[in-house]
Amino acid sequence: MIELSLALVLCWGTWRTLQGGFVGPGRGLQVVGIESQGLAMGALAVLAAGYFYGIQFGAALILMVVIHEFGHVAAFRVCGHSDARFRLIPLFGGVAISDRMPASHEADFFITLMGPAICLAPMALAFSVSLLVGGYSLALGNFLYILGLVLAAVNFFNLLPVYPLDGGKLVQLLAVSFAPKRLRQANLALTVFAVGLALLTRSYFLLFFVIMGWQGLRQSETLLRRQRPMSPRRAFLCLGAYLATALAFALGGWTMIQRFA
């Protein structure tokens, strides 16, 4: 019951944080585009995940993507972007879109972090409810446990300081807040770290992300300088939120993280 109580507190905190962002003007989660080629590749990816790890894993992965992207969309709306919507890219998940960029580094950080952070409450709820229902329905209990692991492990991966993952964007925003004149060096350090991590773990998937994000990383420098900077005090608070979120996902998904590492 303690675990369930903590999960419900997290749900309430998430609701309060994103209050006003869950429902847009006349619509909920708006999907504005599905690419047919991406859909076919995504279907193959889900089928492969289901074949190697089970149908429950594939279903949990889809749920995770929807929750994650809705976190970005809701955060956009909280920051005044009523036009925020969600473009589905099945192979890679999706991307939250707005017609204008966030006006400040603080708003950009909030929007970026809330994609992973919104998954904290469902993760805790899935783990706690799986313990309660496991004795009545083994299949449901197993699925909820797998869902909790997927929410934790995939979002932990997403928070790694690798651009264009959310973690890379967050670290970049922190770098420009603490040392605005060293942004180019910070971007170079992000790239070196990501390549080193990919080689250390022999992860071609991670290396693909690094290569894919290199051009965007260089272009992001110009965009970051157009936004209002945040104060060092706010930057420290944002750093704490980032580390706490990553740590929570690491603890929740440690079993799966070890397996895939």
Side-chain angles (χ1 to χ4, degrees):
M1 289 302 294
I2 295 177
E3 293 84 356
L4 181 58
S5 298
L6 290 174
L8 292 176
V9 168
L10 272 175
C11 290
W12 177 83
T14 303
W15 174 261
R16 292 289 296 173
T17 301
L18 293 175
Q19 192 171 12
F22 285 107
V23 179
R27 58 186 184 271
L29 178 60
Q30 184 188 21
V31 180
V32 298
I34 301 177
E35 299 174 1
S36 58
Q37 184 177 359
L39 182 61
M41 295 174 70
L44 288 175
V46 172
L47 288 174
Y51 177 78
F52 287 108
Y53 303 107
I55 298 300
Q56 291 181 327
F57 180 88
L61 195 60
I62 294 171
L63 276 175
M64 185 282 304
V65 168
V66 173
I67 296 171
H68 178 106
E69 294 304 330
F70 186 69
H72 289 309
V73 172
F76 259 123
R77 291 172 180 169
V78 168
C79 293
H81 296 249
S82 59
D83 65 316
R85 63 268 192 199
F86 171 36
R87 179 172 293 279
L88 184 64
I89 309 175
L91 184 60
F92 303 107
V95 58
I97 306 169
S98 175
D99 293 334
R100 54 191 173 90
M101 64 185 296
S104 67
H105 293 159
E106 188 175 345
D108 202 351
F109 191 96
F110 175 72
I111 292 166
T112 304
L113 181 63
M114 283 314 300
I118 197 176
C119 296
L120 284 171
M123 176 195 74
L125 197 60
F127 280 139
S128 59
V129 175
S130 70
L131 296 174
L132 296 177
V133 305
Y136 303 97
S137 174
L138 185 59
L140 179 58
N142 285 338
F143 173 71
L144 290 173
Y145 180 72
I146 291 171
L147 176 61
L149 284 178
V150 170
L151 285 165
V154 177
N155 279 290
F156 173 77
F157 171 79
N158 183 256
L159 285 173
L160 290 175
V162 176
Y163 197 92
L165 299 178
D166 287 336
K169 297 176 183 177
L170 294 172
V171 170
Q172 188 186 43
L173 285 164
L174 290 170
V176 75
S177 298
F178 287 121
K181 295 182 180 180
R182 299 283 186 234
L183 181 57
R184 181 65 57 83
Q185 291 88 333
N187 285 340
L188 180 60
L190 276 175
T191 303
V192 171
F193 171 82
V195 172
L197 185 61
L199 295 176
L200 181 65
T201 59
R202 299 179 182 179
S203 173
Y204 296 107
F205 184 68
L206 183 58
L207 189 61
F208 169 76
F209 265 100
V210 177
I211 296 172
M212 185 178 68
W214 171 245
Q215 188 61 33
L217 183 62
R218 294 182 59 188
Q219 294 175 347
S220 66
E221 295 179 16
T222 302
L223 299 177
L224 285 170
R225 301 194 188 283
R226 295 178 184 173
Q227 296 173 309
R228 289 195 313 273
M230 57 180 162
S231 66
R233 179 176 175 273
R234 290 295 181 93
F236 273 112
L237 290 174
C238 288
L239 174 60
Y242 167 59
L243 293 177
T245 304
L247 178 61
F249 283 133
L251 293 174
W254 186 245
T255 303
M256 184 171 288
I257 292 169
Q258 281 185 310
R259 182 178 178 182
F260 283 99

